[in-house]
Amino acid sequence: MSDHWWWRPGVRPGRRLLVWHILLDDQPLARSLIQECQSRLAGLDGLDLVPARWLHMTTQIVGFADEISEAEVGAMADAAAKRLRLLAPITVEIGRLWFHSEAVMLGIRPARALDPVRDAVREATDGAVRVHQLADEPDWTPHVSVAYSHGDGPAAPVIEAFASPPTTCPFTVRAVHLVAQQRVGRLYRWEPVATAPLGH
């Protein structure tokens, strides 16, 4: 395992990023699954379990809030809402285990089922925001991080904790949320900016 909490380019204490997230507030089955996964990791050193309030599926990083005007934010949110209301809510299966040197994550199946959601927010961002970070992450592997690593060490204990794979459950995406996010210590937290529902 390696430390997740290194400072990415441009990121610094107090500086906020605008990010499109799929949140888990309306996903009780997924939240229970994540809690079960976290219970397996609770006794291991070097991991930060993500609190239930801050569970998320990062869909698209837009850019730094101090480089984007309020008018651009409003235009992007409106454009995303118009695109997403043309999509019906999408149900996938969450629970596919992903190990990364910096995190333990749960992925989805089918892997590409949520691409139309991401495409909608990327198109809205590209059409409204001049200084954005779309080119930094052209590809997407949808996932929810269960825990982040805060140090260097062997991965074997983490892998052994999941010798029996976790169960899976349905996960229905009904909205995407634009948030103003910042890193506070070893935690990502945010304030809501806009919500774009699917199918409304």
Side-chain angles (χ1 to χ4, degrees), residues 5 86 88 133 158-159:
W5 301 109
L86 301 177
Q133 297 184 13
V158 177
I159 296 170

Side-chain angles (χ1 to χ4, degrees), residues 83-115:
R83 285 171 168 80
L84 288 166
R85 72 168 60 110
L86 301 177
L87 298 177
I90 301 172
T91 298
V92 296
E93 179 184 78
I94 190 169
R96 182 182 181 188
L97 196 62
W98 290 87
F99 291 115
H100 186 281
S101 65
E102 296 182 3
V104 179
M105 305 171 288
L106 295 180
I108 66 162
R109 294 188 181 96
R112 305 265 58 90
L114 298 180
D115 283 0

Side-chain angles (χ1 to χ4, degrees), residues 129-169:
V129 178
R130 291 170 298 163
V131 181
H132 57 64
Q133 297 184 13
L134 297 182
D136 293 351
E137 296 182 346
D139 301 316
W140 187 41
T141 303
H143 66 273
V144 175
S145 293
V146 172
Y148 295 111
S149 170
H150 64 244
D152 299 328
V158 177
I159 296 170
E160 289 167 5
F162 292 98
S164 59
T167 58
T168 61
C169 69

Side-chain angles (χ1 to χ4, degrees), residues 19-93:
V19 187
W20 287 101
H21 280 331
I22 294 168
L23 300 181
L24 277 71
D25 298 343
D26 62 345
Q27 304 285 341
L29 294 177
R31 289 158 66 94
S32 294
L33 173 59
I34 291 166
Q35 186 176 34
E36 188 264 320
C37 291
Q38 290 181 336
S39 70
R40 301 193 194 194
L41 300 170
L44 302 183
D45 293 332
L47 294 177
D48 298 309
L49 306 182
V50 180
R53 178 180 178 183
W54 305 113
L55 291 169
H56 62 282
M57 181 182 291
T58 301
T59 307
Q60 180 61 56
I61 295 173
V62 176
F64 291 107
D66 56 16
E67 297 178 344
I68 302 172
S69 70
E70 290 186 13
E72 288 176 305
V73 172
M76 173 179 59
D78 289 346
K82 289 176 182 177
R83 285 171 168 80
L84 288 166
R85 72 168 60 110
L86 301 177
L87 298 177
I90 301 172
T91 298
V92 296
E93 179 184 78

